Every structure is written in structure tokens, then in C-alpha cells.
Amino acid sequence: MNQKDFTWGVATAAHQIEGAWLADGKGLNIWDAFSHTPGKITNGDTADVACDHYHRYQEDIELIEQLGVSGYRFSISWSRILPQGRGEVNQAGIDFYNRLIDGLLAKGITPFVTLYHWDLPLTLQLEDDGWLNYSTAEAFAEYAQVCFRAFGDRVTQWMTFNESWCTAVLGHGMGVFAPGRSSVTEPYLVAHNLMLAHGLAAKAFREGGYAGQIGIANNCDFREPLTDSAEDQAAAQEALEFFYGWFTDPLVFGDYPAIMRERVGDRLPRFTAEQSDLLKGSADFLGLNHYTTHYASRRPVDENGVAAENGNGGMDTDQCVHLSADPKWPTTSMGWYVVPWGLRKMLNWIEQRYNGLPVYVTENGCSVADNDPASAVGDHFRADFIERYTAELKQARDEDGVNVKGYFCWTLMDNFEWTRGYDMRFGLIFCDFNTQERIPKASYHAYQKLIERDLAQ
Ligand code: GBH
């Protein structure tokens, strides 16, 4: 393939970098409320200021340009555009994203826009129960159309949702993410409304005649069978269907994976024939946010490896799958295993299941906990991580023939890492949260060179 068709990029999310939480008419969102609730976030951190990207976006565009990427994935803050979630539009919010988009395009960088990266307008949560209610899917479609109308003359690459698995499982199953609910039923309901919201937005995008593509960014940690046994192979396959398939099968095939219906029964909502038609074929491309890999087995692991039973979230019992890891695998400061070959296998799994639908790695990266800029900039661990994961991606692309169209490193600069606050740093650039100074790390330069090398091939 012509390598120039491949997008090397970098990713961020509005709530993690923008700050300016009360500026220029922005409404509150569920993460504003969650992070201001004592005990929810490490060190009581909030994203009130974060990287102050809302005011410093010009400097950040320069850093993106110098990195040498051709794509920048960022998200729009719903409550900056529609402070109450629906109805009144905040022109200052539109103006901000116009400045950002125009700034990127002036540098030849293609914007890849995520409409929803977890920051639901608080009003929709308090008055409508958020994603538990289908009316939020309708509100999302309204918001998406405001964005298509405002930016669709210049933005051609859209993603509706980031990691709906996290909204469902971490937000409504385990209660560790906003809105902090714990249930074995709600994740499936929430997922259902997120799928329908995607369908409504994709329909509006296509009927509106906008140029470009609309997709979704789903996350998945890879599951490798612990042994060659048929049982473990089935466990790994089912685990991937429960993870990536849950949020992707409906958009490609119009329904959830059969194994989910079998295991979850009536707690898994059903699509009407009309809804199924709405969803089927509603993604022009797939996104994959990928961070780690585990072994999967049918039976619990005792001596074979390290138990990692939490990785599947609250939905673990529905899957009847046990997770484990090789104790020799290195870990990041988040405790996530570094297993580069998992990305190649994951991409091949997607290629096969979804018949070669274009896929972008919309996130991949790692945390290195170090708050001292002098040492943090020497992040050879991260440089090595990116080198090894992208080498596997290139093998998937060039040797296995996977239709992978791009790679977005998570993330441009250290930022508000959700429940871990500012303690976990994922950035290619060090951010000093007191002075807002940005200092490129070794990984920034390594990624820059890696891109140059690939383009020269
Ligand atoms: C992404 O989520 C988010 O999109 C992004 O906003 C965030 O900043 C970034 O990653 C870093 O966290 O505990 O070993 O079982 C990451 C999704 C899902 C990846 C759960 C790791 C569990 C690993 N994560 N998965 S483990």
C-alpha cells in the first residue's frame, strides 16, 4: 500500500486537556460533578484547569505540527456547545472549535473529531438519568447535528463515541467512572442507548450530505487463549465478543454477538427490526483503542500465571472467562501489561470479524509515573513501548494485509487522567501543571523519527 495513505496521529480528549471549566458559557458535565465529589479522584484532583488548552491551543497546535503527524484526534465538549445538553447553543463554544479546526487545517493537519469522550452535560444526567434513558440518545443526535452544521464544511473524519465499554462497565457497572453507578443490568441498557445514539447521528450525517466518514472509537484489550485447548480458545473468542463485539457487532451486523444473548439473557435489551436496520452498516470505519493483553481461560488460573480478574469489569461473571497474565510481562505505572504482539493479533481479529472494514488505532500509549520534569523527559520506557507496538501494527498492515488506516498515540501531553488525576502521565510532552510549561519528552522525538522513517519507506 502507499504509506502516504496512512495517518500517523496523536490524540487527546476535551475534558482531559481544556480546563476553563466555567469559561464563556460552558455548562457543567458529569465529570465536573464527579471530580468535585470528595473521594472519587486521586489527590482530590479536578479538571478545572487541566492543561488550560482552551487558552493555549495555539501553542499546542505548534507542538502537534512539529511532531510531524498528519492527524490530530480531539473531542468536542458537548456542554461547551449546548450548556444544557439540548436547546440553546453557546456560540463561544462553537467559536473555540472553529479556531482550533482552522488552526490545524492551516498547518495541513487533518482533524479527527470525537463527539463524545465521556463528558455528558450534567443536566441530562440529573433530569433524564443520562444514558439510562433513550431521550439522551435523541439529545446526542441533536448535538451531533449542531456540530455537523458548524464544522462539517471542514471536518471530514468523525467518531461518535469514545470507548462506550468504559461508559457502560466502569460508569454503570463498577461505579468507578462518572456517573458512578454500580449494577449488573444498567451497563447493558446504557450500551443499548449509546448504540442507538450512534445510529441516529450516523443517519443524520449521511442524510445531511456531508463529505467524509463517520465511525466510532471502541476499546479492547486483547485476549489470548491460555492454552491450545478448545475450551480456552472459546473463552478468548467469547471474551473479545463481549468486549469489542458488544459495541461493534450492532454497527456492522445489526445485533449483539449471539454469545451475549445466551449468557446475559433478558438483561440484554433487544433491537427492533427498524433499529437494527438503522445500526447495520452505520460505521464507515472502526476505531480501536488498545492498551494491553491478558490470557483467557475457561477455568480459574492458580499457578499458571498472575490472576487479573478485574480486567473485565463488573461483567466478568456474565462471561465465564478467567483472565491471567504472564508474570514476565513488563507493566506500566498503571499496572497494565506491555504485550506488543497483542495489537497485531487484535487487528487481525477485527479484520476477519468485520470483513476488512477500515480500522484506525485511535489510541495506544502508556503511563510513566514521574512528576519531576528533569527525569520525566527521559521516558525511554514510553519510546520503546511506541516503537514496539507500532512495529506490530506495521506487520499487521504490511504483512498480514489488515486494512489499518492510521495510528494515534495517546496522548499529546500529560493531562487529567480521570480517576487517577494528574498522578498518571501518558504524555509525549511533559506538562507542568503549575506553570503550564510544555516540555517534549524523549518519546516525542522518538515518535517524530518513527513517522519520518515510515513515510520515507
Ligand atoms: C483510555 O481508556 C481513554 O480513552 C483515555 O481517555 C485515557 O486517558 C487513556 O485510555 C488512559 O487511561 O486493569 O490491566 O485489566 C483506557 C481503557 C480499559 C484500558 C481497561 C485498560 C484495563 C487494563 N482501559 N483496561 S487492566
Side-chain angles (χ1 to χ4, degrees), residues 13 16 117-118 162-163 165-166 170 219 221 243 289 291-292 294 310-312 334-337 363 410 415 417-418 426:
Q16 295 180 269
H117 201 122
W118 307 347
N162 181 71
E163 301 193 353
W165 182 91
C166 292
L170 303 180
N219 63 308
D221 306 334
F243 205 150
N289 292 6
Y291 286 89
T292 191
H294 296 113
N310 287 330
N312 272 357
M334 288 293 274
W336 300 349
Y337 296 100
E363 284 181 28
W410 183 269
N415 57 43
E417 178 47 37
W418 308 111
F426 278 80

